[in-house]
Amino acid sequence: FQVTTGPASRQRSGCLLLPVYSGGTLPPATAEADRAADGAIRAVVKGGDFRGDAGETLLLPKVAGLACPRVILVGLGDPNRFDRRAFRKALRAGYAALARGSATEAASFLGTEVPRGTDACRRARVAGEARIEPSHRFTELKGKPAPDGAVRPNSLAPPTR
């Protein structure tokens, strides 16, 4: 992983992973990207296409105003109940959605929200584990190797609080 800084809207990567709380609450990184996209993200949430439930994902291709060609919205669930379990669920879902797509790199802003009861070490460990799980393929007993669907270099944005 690389650590990235700067606004989400200016990240140049194959995909941008942005957090959204249930009820349509946009965390600061997502709100900044939404402002750059002239409210496109908030419109999707308000339109009912995305609720922000923990682990829910939605791919938005070609969002005008953002440097990335695609955005994956990742639900964090209720902001008052956002803990390590909800964080892990969101990370797994976000990276699984990423692995299903064609992006070869990503910038994740999921780590900008700090779950209750965690420290930086635990958050980094959970992020690393969640990143590897969707791309792991057990091929020892198969006749020929499966294609490598792993998404390569990733950057993580640290919490700003």
Side-chain angles (χ1 to χ4, degrees), residues 138-151:
F138 181 78
T139 59
E140 292 293 317
L141 302 177
K142 294 191 178 217
K144 52 183 166 172
D148 183 12
V151 177

Side-chain angles (χ1 to χ4, degrees), residues 12 16 29 31 65 82 88 100 109 118 120 122 128-129 141 156:
R12 297 199 183 279
L16 193 59
F82 184 59
R88 182 182 299 274
R100 288 188 299 268
F109 281 78
T118 64
R122 179 171 299 270
E129 290 171 356
L141 302 177
L156 297 172

Side-chain angles (χ1 to χ4, degrees), residues 62-125:
K62 297 182 171 92
V63 178
L66 300 183
C68 288
R70 61 190 66 78
V71 171
I72 296 176
L73 299 181
V74 182
L76 301 180
D78 183 349
N80 297 319
R81 298 181 62 201
F82 184 59
D83 59 9
R84 146 180 107 202
R85 290 184 71 198
F87 182 55
R88 182 182 299 274
K89 186 174 185 176
L91 285 168
R92 282 180 174 164
Y95 286 129
L98 185 62
R100 288 188 299 268
S102 61
T104 57
E105 61 182 5
S108 173
F109 281 78
L110 302 179
T112 59
E113 294 304 294
V114 179
R116 285 180 316 175
T118 64
D119 59 14
C121 181
R122 179 171 299 270
R123 288 191 304 272
R125 186 176 129 214

